[in-house]
Amino acid sequence: KCRTGPLDIVFVIDSSRSVRPFEFETMRRFMMDIISNLDVGPNATRVGVIQYSSQVQNIFSLKTFFTRADMERAINSIIPLAQGTMTGLAIQYAMNVAFTTQEGARPLHKRIPRIAIIVTDGRPQDRVTEVATQARNAGIEIYAVGIQRADMNSLRAMASPPLEEHVFLVESFELIQQFAKQFQDKLCGVDMCVEREHGCQHSCVSTPGSFYCECNPGYRLNVDGKTCSPIDACADGRHGCQHHCVSVRGSYSCRCRAGYYLSQNKRSCTMIDYCSFGNHSCQHECVSIPNGHYCRCRSGFTLQPDSKSCRATDLCNGVDHGCEFKCVSTEGSYHCVCPEGQQLQADGKTCSKCGAGHVDLVMVIDGSKSVRPQNFELVKQFVNRIVDLLEVSPHGTRVGLVQYSSRVRTEFPLNKYHSADEIKKAVMDVEYMEKGTMTGLALKHMVEHSFSEQEGARPLSHNIPRIGLVFTDGRSQDDISEWARRAKESGIVMFAVGVGKAVEEELRAIASEPVEQHFSYSADFTTMTHLVENFSLNICPEEGKGETEIRSPCECEALVQFQTNTVAILQSLTEKNILWAHSLAQMTARLEDLEKQIANKK
C-alpha cells in the first residue's frame, strides 16, 4: 500500500470514439489497480473519476466514496461517451469543479497534494497549454499518460515539471496494466519522513517527493513550518466566560476574579456573600463586596469608629420621617428641607426636582487603587444621591458616567439610559478599576468623547447646559491644567469634589468660576454625602434655559401654585408649634412629678 500520506487524486479518462470498447476495459483495470494500492478514506487518500470526449461527465467526486469496493462498482458502471477529444475542456472542469472543497477536495492550507492523472489515446481537439498552466498554478500536479496514438507534445504541454517524472507513453492498451505498477511506484515514491531529517516537532506527513509537518490537536503550526504552539482557545472571544478565560491546549476554562466563585454553568461568576458566614458582627446591616464586607447602619444612624456598631444621631434617625432630601432635627421635633433652588412640596416631605430646565451631566469618578473597594461603594452611593436630584428623561436631563485610574473607561454615555432607576442600577453594577490616577487623561476623554453628539450630548445650538463633575481622592499622576482649561473653554461647567488626600490646587484648577461655588472637599468617604447639598443649586439650571418654556411669574397657574405652597408651609409650621407646645407641657409635667418625689423623700 501507498503509505506516504493522504492525497486528493482525480482520474481524467479519455472515452472518445477512438478508444474501442475492449481498450476502455483496460483503462478501467488501470484505475482499479492503482486504487487497490492506495490507503483510501475520508482522512486518507480521496479519489474522484471524470470521463470526457466532446463533453465532460463526472463519474464520482472526491467526497462520494471512501471504500475501494464502492469505487470499483462505480468504475465498472461507466458507459463511454464515444465522441470527440476535448482534453482542454476536461482539465478546465477538473480545476473549476472536481478539485473544489465543495466536491470534497481538502483546503489548500492543509497541504494535501492535489493530483490529476490524465489518460488519453489521441491528440486533443482543443487547446491544452494555457488551461494546463492555470491548473498547475492552482496547485494541481498533473500526470499525463498517453497510450498508443497519443501526441507527445500535447502530453508535455499538460504535465507538471519535471517532465521526465510526469509524462508517460505506453505503446498499447495491452501494456497499460503492466505500466500501472511502475506508475504506482512513481506516485507513492519513498517515505520522505523516513529518508530525511524532517525536524517536525510533533508529526511528519510524507507526500510524493516531499513532506510537511503537522501538529497535535490543540496546537497550530508556527511560521517556521516545523514547531507547534498551543492554540489560544480564548482568543476568538466566543468562550462566554464572564470574568477570565484560561486557554489550555486547544481548550479553555473559565475563572472568576478574587471574591467571586464559578457558577454551575462554568461560565458566569457569583460574588461570594461574606456576610452569610455569620462572623461580621455588624449591629445593623452587613454589605458584601468583592474580597470582604463592610457594616452599614440603617437610615438615621451613624457608623461608629469600630466600623460595626451604630448610634442614633438625632430625632430624624429615630422616626420614619419620609423626607425626600433631608431631615433636620430640632429640639423635640424635626422638619424636612430641600436643596437650594428646590421647593418643599405641599406634603412637607418631597422636593421639586431639577425639572425647570435640562442639563447634560457627565460624572467622572476616581477608581484608583487608593480609593479601596469599600470606599468605592460609597462613591457610587454619592453618585446616586446626585441622580436623585434630577428629572432624568431623553428630553430632560441626561446623565453619563466615566471611571478612570491608569486608563479611562466610559461606564455609560449620555444616551444610554432614560430613567433615574436605570442609571442608579447601572451605577451599582460598575466594577472598581484600581491602579493609578490619570485625572488629566480622564478630562481629555470627557471633552473629546463624553460630550460628543455621538455619545448623546445635545447640540450646542440647543443651549442645553453641559456639566462635568470630577471626583478624586488624590494627586493626579499627569498634568490636568490643559484639559481642565479646554473643558471650560468648550462651555462645560466644571465641578470638582475632593476626598481624603485630594490636592486643593488641582481641585481649584478643575472648577469653574466662581471657584468657591464649584469645588468641595470632605476629609473622608463616610462624611462626604453632605457634599450633595453643595451641588444641588448649581447643577439644577435656571428656569428658562435650553428648550424649557419660559413662564411669567404673574400667570394665574404660577400664582395659584405659589399660594398653595405658602399655605402648606404655614400649616407645617403651625403643626410643629403645636407639637413643640405639647412637648413643652409634657416636660413641665415631668418636672413637677420630680419635685413632688423629692419633697416626699424629705
Side-chain angles (χ1 to χ4, degrees):
K1 294 292 188 293
C2 181
R3 299 288 184 181
T4 58
L7 306 171
D8 286 342
I9 299 177
V10 174
F11 289 95
V12 183
I13 304 301
D14 180 357
S15 65
S16 60
R17 66 173 63 93
S18 62
V19 180
R20 286 167 288 190
F22 75 90
E23 294 175 336
F24 192 81
E25 292 305 314
T26 62
M27 296 174 70
R28 293 186 209 266
R29 189 71 256 167
F30 169 73
M31 289 188 284
M32 290 190 289
D33 285 346
I34 291 179
I35 291 173
S36 68
N37 288 298
L38 296 175
D39 183 19
V40 298
N43 297 318
T45 293
R46 299 182 182 182
V47 178
V49 176
I50 61 177
Q51 69 165 334
Y52 73 94
S53 59
S54 298
Q55 59 185 350
V56 181
Q57 181 185 28
N58 180 47
I59 304 303
F60 58 87
S61 64
L62 293 167
K63 66 179 180 180
T64 306
F65 300 123
F66 296 115
T67 66
R68 297 184 192 88
D70 289 338
M71 295 177 185
E72 290 178 2
R73 276 193 294 271
I75 291 172
N76 283 324
S77 66
I78 297 175
I79 300 175
L81 298 173
Q83 297 173 358
T85 310
M86 304 294 286
T87 309
L89 181 65
I91 297 173
Q92 185 81 41
Y93 181 90
M95 176 176 63
N96 293 341
V97 179
F99 280 110
T100 62
T101 54
Q102 292 83 354
E103 289 297 306
R106 268 71 66 96
L108 288 172
H109 69 83
K110 290 193 174 182
R111 303 178 65 179
I112 297 194
R114 296 181 173 183
I115 297 174
I117 303 174
I118 302 173
V119 184
T120 180
D121 80 324
R123 182 188 300 274
Q125 295 175 338
D126 56 356
R127 295 181 178 180
V128 297
T129 303
E130 182 178 350
V131 69
T133 301
Q134 293 175 357
R136 293 193 300 268
N137 291 340
I140 301 172
E141 185 177 1
I142 300 177
Y143 288 86
V145 180
I147 304 175
Q148 203 165 291
R149 299 171 294 276
D151 177 55
M152 177 58 77
N153 289 333
S154 298
L155 297 176
R156 294 171 67 87
M158 292 186 287
S160 297
L163 296 178
E164 60 271 17
E165 296 184 9
H166 292 81
V167 177
F168 304 93
L169 185 59
V170 184
E171 295 178 1
S172 68
F173 281 93
E174 291 78 7
L175 298 174
I176 193 170
Q177 284 184 260
Q178 299 177 19
F179 164 72
K181 177 64 174 67
Q182 176 189 351
F183 183 80
Q184 173 71 25
D185 294 340
K186 180 65 67 176
L187 184 65
C188 291
V190 298
D191 190 339
M192 301 301 291
C193 293
V194 175
E195 297 294 325
R196 291 187 181 180
E197 182 65 34
H198 53 77
C200 298
Q201 182 179 354
H202 285 182
S203 59
C204 173
V205 179
S206 183
T207 61
S210 185
F211 69 90
Y212 63 90
C213 299
E214 278 190 348
C215 296
N216 296 335
Y219 292 81
R220 64 169 177 270
L221 197 64
N222 294 327
V223 292
D224 61 6
K226 295 184 178 182
T227 59
C228 301
S229 297
I231 295 173
D232 185 358
C234 298
D236 60 8
R238 294 181 295 178
H239 48 77
C241 297
Q242 183 178 354
H243 286 180
H244 303 301
C245 176
V246 180
S247 182
V248 183
R249 293 188 179 180
S251 184
Y252 68 89
S253 62
C254 298
R255 292 183 184 175
C256 298
R257 294 193 296 269
Y260 293 79
Y261 64 89
L262 197 63
S263 302
Q264 290 185 348
N265 61 15
K266 302 301 182 183
R267 285 179 170 82
S268 60
C269 299
T270 304
M271 189 172 73
I272 297 173
D273 186 3
Y274 289 95
C275 294
S276 65
F277 297 165
N279 58 352
H280 52 76
S281 302
C282 297
Q283 183 180 351
H284 283 184
E285 299 172 3
C286 174
V287 180
S288 285
I289 58 174
N291 297 324
H293 72 279
Y294 67 91
C295 296
R296 182 173 62 192
C297 297
R298 292 192 294 271
S299 178
F301 292 80
T302 302
L303 192 66
Q304 297 305 292
D306 63 2
S307 298
K308 295 180 180 180
S309 58
C310 303
R311 187 178 67 187
T313 54
D314 50 39
L315 188 60
C316 289
N317 291 331
V319 297
D320 183 15
H321 54 75
C323 297
E324 178 183 352
F325 178 69
K326 186 177 181 180
C327 172
V328 177
S329 289
T330 57
E331 186 175 352
S333 185
Y334 68 91
H335 63 277
C336 300
V337 297
C338 294
E340 288 187 65
Q342 297 186 40
Q343 291 183 341
L344 192 67
Q345 300 299 290
D347 60 6
K349 295 181 179 181
T350 60
C351 303
S352 61
K353 300 281 186 178
C354 292
H358 309 151
V359 297
D360 287 342
L361 171 63
V362 175
M363 288 179 273
V364 183
I365 59 174
D366 185 348
S368 62
K369 187 176 183 179
S370 60
V371 174
R372 300 187 181 279
Q374 62 269 31
N375 291 331
F376 190 73
E377 294 299 314
L378 297 177
V379 172
K380 293 195 289 187
Q381 294 175 22
F382 173 80
V383 170
N384 280 344
R385 288 288 298 276
I386 293 177
V387 174
D388 284 334
L389 299 174
L390 309 172
E391 285 279 0
V392 178
S393 69
H395 301 292
T397 292
R398 299 181 182 181
V399 178
L401 183 65
V402 173
Q403 184 185 173
Y404 72 95
S405 58
S406 299
R407 55 190 177 88
V408 184
R409 182 173 73 204
T410 297
E411 299 295 352
F412 52 85
L414 289 165
N415 56 6
K416 177 73 171 180
Y417 300 113
H418 306 306
S419 72
D421 288 340
E422 289 179 308
I423 293 173
K424 290 167 70 175
K425 183 180 183 303
V427 169
M428 297 312 295
D429 290 340
V430 169
E431 294 185 358
Y432 177 37
M433 292 175 69
E434 296 190 270
K435 298 189 178 179
T437 311
M438 303 295 283
T439 311
L441 184 64
L443 290 170
K444 180 177 184 292
H445 180 91
M446 180 194 72
V447 173
E448 293 183 340
H449 300 286
S450 302
F451 282 107
S452 65
E453 293 183 28
Q454 291 83 352
E455 294 204 2
R458 269 75 64 96
L460 291 171
S461 60
H462 288 191
N463 197 28
I464 303 296
R466 295 181 172 184
I467 297 176
L469 174 60
V470 179
F471 181 99
T472 180
D473 84 322
R475 182 183 296 275
S476 176
Q477 294 173 339
D478 60 351
D479 179 61
I480 65 166
S481 57
E482 178 183 356
W483 287 101
R485 174 181 56 79
R486 288 196 189 187
K488 289 177 278 192
E489 288 177 352
S490 66
I492 303 172
V493 179
M494 295 298 299
F495 288 84
V497 180
V499 177
K501 296 182 180 180
V503 179
E504 181 176 350
E505 180 183 354
E506 291 185 353
L507 298 176
R508 289 179 173 274
I510 294 172
S512 294
E513 296 289 343
V515 173
E516 298 301 331
Q517 295 182 13
H518 291 82
F519 98 95
S520 296
Y521 173 81
S522 179
D524 60 69
F525 287 88
T526 59
T527 61
M528 69 181 180
T529 53
H530 74 277
L531 300 179
V532 176
E533 302 173 41
N534 299 345
F535 298 105
S536 57
L537 177 62
N538 293 305
I539 288 178
C540 295
E542 295 178 2
E543 189 169 352
K545 285 191 176 181
E547 299 174 342
T548 307
E549 178 185 3
I550 300 176
R551 298 182 59 191
S552 169
C554 295
E555 287 184 3
C556 181
E557 292 181 6
L559 290 173
V560 171
Q561 182 64 41
F562 173 76
Q563 182 180 14
T564 301
N565 292 344
T566 303
V567 169
I569 293 171
L570 291 174
Q571 183 177 357
S572 175
L573 291 173
T574 301
E575 292 174 353
K576 289 167 186 172
N577 286 334
I578 293 172
L579 181 60
W580 292 339
H582 180 67
S583 298
L584 182 60
Q586 287 182 329
M587 291 176 64
T588 302
R590 179 67 173 165
L591 288 172
E592 289 176 354
D593 288 342
L594 290 173
E595 288 176 355
K596 290 178 180 179
Q597 292 175 14
I598 293 171
N600 291 334
K601 289 181 179 181
K602 289 181 179 181

PDB file of all heavy atoms in Angstrom, residues 481-492:
ATOM      1  N   SER A 481      -3.918  70.717  33.853  1.00  0.00           N
ATOM      2  CA  SER A 481      -4.212  72.121  33.571  1.00  0.00           C
ATOM      3  C   SER A 481      -4.766  72.334  32.166  1.00  0.00           C
ATOM      4  O   SER A 481      -5.762  73.055  31.975  1.00  0.00           O
ATOM      5  CB  SER A 481      -2.959  72.976  33.784  1.00  0.00           C
ATOM      6  OG  SER A 481      -1.899  72.507  32.966  1.00  0.00           O
ATOM      7  N   GLU A 482      -4.128  71.703  31.159  1.00  0.00           N
ATOM      8  CA  GLU A 482      -4.542  71.968  29.772  1.00  0.00           C
ATOM      9  C   GLU A 482      -5.976  71.513  29.527  1.00  0.00           C
ATOM     10  O   GLU A 482      -6.804  72.258  28.984  1.00  0.00           O
ATOM     11  CB  GLU A 482      -3.599  71.255  28.802  1.00  0.00           C
ATOM     12  CG  GLU A 482      -4.027  71.460  27.343  1.00  0.00           C
ATOM     13  CD  GLU A 482      -3.150  70.709  26.357  1.00  0.00           C
ATOM     14  OE1 GLU A 482      -2.168  70.087  26.790  1.00  0.00           O
ATOM     15  OE2 GLU A 482      -3.464  70.755  25.154  1.00  0.00           O
ATOM     16  N   TRP A 483      -6.318  70.276  29.925  1.00  0.00           N
ATOM     17  CA  TRP A 483      -7.648  69.763  29.612  1.00  0.00           C
ATOM     18  C   TRP A 483      -8.715  70.322  30.543  1.00  0.00           C
ATOM     19  O   TRP A 483      -9.895  70.375  30.165  1.00  0.00           O
ATOM     20  CB  TRP A 483      -7.640  68.255  29.619  1.00  0.00           C
ATOM     21  CG  TRP A 483      -6.930  67.739  28.404  1.00  0.00           C
ATOM     22  CD1 TRP A 483      -5.672  67.265  28.304  1.00  0.00           C
ATOM     23  CD2 TRP A 483      -7.448  67.732  27.073  1.00  0.00           C
ATOM     24  NE1 TRP A 483      -5.360  66.949  27.010  1.00  0.00           N
ATOM     25  CE2 TRP A 483      -6.437  67.217  26.223  1.00  0.00           C
ATOM     26  CE3 TRP A 483      -8.678  68.098  26.499  1.00  0.00           C
ATOM     27  CZ2 TRP A 483      -6.615  67.080  24.854  1.00  0.00           C
ATOM     28  CZ3 TRP A 483      -8.853  67.956  25.131  1.00  0.00           C
ATOM     29  CH2 TRP A 483      -7.827  67.457  24.321  1.00  0.00           C
ATOM     30  N   ALA A 484      -8.321  70.776  31.753  1.00  0.00           N
ATOM     31  CA  ALA A 484      -9.277  71.497  32.593  1.00  0.00           C
ATOM     32  C   ALA A 484      -9.647  72.823  31.930  1.00  0.00           C
ATOM     33  O   ALA A 484     -10.819  73.221  31.901  1.00  0.00           O
ATOM     34  CB  ALA A 484      -8.684  71.726  33.980  1.00  0.00           C
ATOM     35  N   ARG A 485      -8.612  73.486  31.358  1.00  0.00           N
ATOM     36  CA  ARG A 485      -8.863  74.753  30.653  1.00  0.00           C
ATOM     37  C   ARG A 485      -9.724  74.520  29.408  1.00  0.00           C
ATOM     38  O   ARG A 485     -10.692  75.240  29.160  1.00  0.00           O
ATOM     39  CB  ARG A 485      -7.524  75.397  30.274  1.00  0.00           C
ATOM     40  CG  ARG A 485      -7.663  76.660  29.415  1.00  0.00           C
ATOM     41  CD  ARG A 485      -6.296  77.224  29.061  1.00  0.00           C
ATOM     42  NE  ARG A 485      -5.448  76.261  28.398  1.00  0.00           N
ATOM     43  CZ  ARG A 485      -5.558  75.951  27.101  1.00  0.00           C
ATOM     44  NH1 ARG A 485      -6.481  76.538  26.354  1.00  0.00           N
ATOM     45  NH2 ARG A 485      -4.752  75.060  26.565  1.00  0.00           N
ATOM     46  N   ARG A 486      -9.384  73.506  28.639  1.00  0.00           N
ATOM     47  CA  ARG A 486     -10.145  73.233  27.420  1.00  0.00           C
ATOM     48  C   ARG A 486     -11.611  72.898  27.725  1.00  0.00           C
ATOM     49  O   ARG A 486     -12.519  73.257  26.978  1.00  0.00           O
ATOM     50  CB  ARG A 486      -9.520  72.083  26.651  1.00  0.00           C
ATOM     51  CG  ARG A 486      -8.203  72.425  25.971  1.00  0.00           C
ATOM     52  CD  ARG A 486      -7.880  71.365  24.936  1.00  0.00           C
ATOM     53  NE  ARG A 486      -6.539  71.513  24.385  1.00  0.00           N
ATOM     54  CZ  ARG A 486      -6.069  70.789  23.377  1.00  0.00           C
ATOM     55  NH1 ARG A 486      -6.839  69.859  22.824  1.00  0.00           N
ATOM     56  NH2 ARG A 486      -4.850  70.959  22.922  1.00  0.00           N
ATOM     57  N   ALA A 487     -11.829  72.173  28.816  1.00  0.00           N
ATOM     58  CA  ALA A 487     -13.197  71.808  29.187  1.00  0.00           C
ATOM     59  C   ALA A 487     -14.029  73.059  29.429  1.00  0.00           C
ATOM     60  O   ALA A 487     -15.158  73.184  28.920  1.00  0.00           O
ATOM     61  CB  ALA A 487     -13.192  70.911  30.425  1.00  0.00           C
ATOM     62  N   LYS A 488     -13.458  73.997  30.190  1.00  0.00           N
ATOM     63  CA  LYS A 488     -14.209  75.219  30.492  1.00  0.00           C
ATOM     64  C   LYS A 488     -14.356  76.100  29.265  1.00  0.00           C
ATOM     65  O   LYS A 488     -15.397  76.733  29.064  1.00  0.00           O
ATOM     66  CB  LYS A 488     -13.513  75.958  31.637  1.00  0.00           C
ATOM     67  CG  LYS A 488     -13.668  75.219  32.981  1.00  0.00           C
ATOM     68  CD  LYS A 488     -12.925  75.879  34.120  1.00  0.00           C
ATOM     69  CE  LYS A 488     -11.461  75.501  34.116  1.00  0.00           C
ATOM     70  NZ  LYS A 488     -10.755  75.882  35.347  1.00  0.00           N
ATOM     71  N   GLU A 489     -13.303  76.143  28.405  1.00  0.00           N
ATOM     72  CA  GLU A 489     -13.399  76.940  27.183  1.00  0.00           C
ATOM     73  C   GLU A 489     -14.446  76.377  26.225  1.00  0.00           C
ATOM     74  O   GLU A 489     -15.021  77.119  25.433  1.00  0.00           O
ATOM     75  CB  GLU A 489     -12.036  76.979  26.486  1.00  0.00           C
ATOM     76  CG  GLU A 489     -11.012  77.842  27.218  1.00  0.00           C
ATOM     77  CD  GLU A 489      -9.646  77.795  26.550  1.00  0.00           C
ATOM     78  OE1 GLU A 489      -9.475  76.972  25.621  1.00  0.00           O
ATOM     79  OE2 GLU A 489      -8.763  78.584  26.941  1.00  0.00           O
ATOM     80  N   SER A 490     -14.698  75.062  26.284  1.00  0.00           N
ATOM     81  CA  SER A 490     -15.687  74.455  25.389  1.00  0.00           C
ATOM     82  C   SER A 490     -17.112  74.623  25.916  1.00  0.00           C
ATOM     83  O   SER A 490     -18.056  74.114  25.323  1.00  0.00           O
ATOM     84  CB  SER A 490     -15.382  72.971  25.199  1.00  0.00           C
ATOM     85  OG  SER A 490     -15.550  72.267  26.414  1.00  0.00           O
ATOM     86  N   GLY A 491     -17.270  75.311  27.059  1.00  0.00           N
ATOM     87  CA  GLY A 491     -18.594  75.596  27.576  1.00  0.00           C
ATOM     88  C   GLY A 491     -19.089  74.631  28.628  1.00  0.00           C
ATOM     89  O   GLY A 491     -20.267  74.664  28.990  1.00  0.00           O
ATOM     90  N   ILE A 492     -18.213  73.755  29.121  1.00  0.00           N
ATOM     91  CA  ILE A 492     -18.611  72.810  30.158  1.00  0.00           C
ATOM     92  C   ILE A 492     -18.437  73.471  31.531  1.00  0.00           C
ATOM     93  O   ILE A 492     -17.358  73.991  31.839  1.00  0.00           O
ATOM     94  CB  ILE A 492     -17.766  71.526  30.089  1.00  0.00           C
ATOM     95  CG1 ILE A 492     -17.891  70.878  28.709  1.00  0.00           C
ATOM     96  CG2 ILE A 492     -18.185  70.548  31.181  1.00  0.00           C
ATOM     97  CD1 ILE A 492     -16.933  69.716  28.498  1.00  0.00           C
TER      98      ILE A 492
END
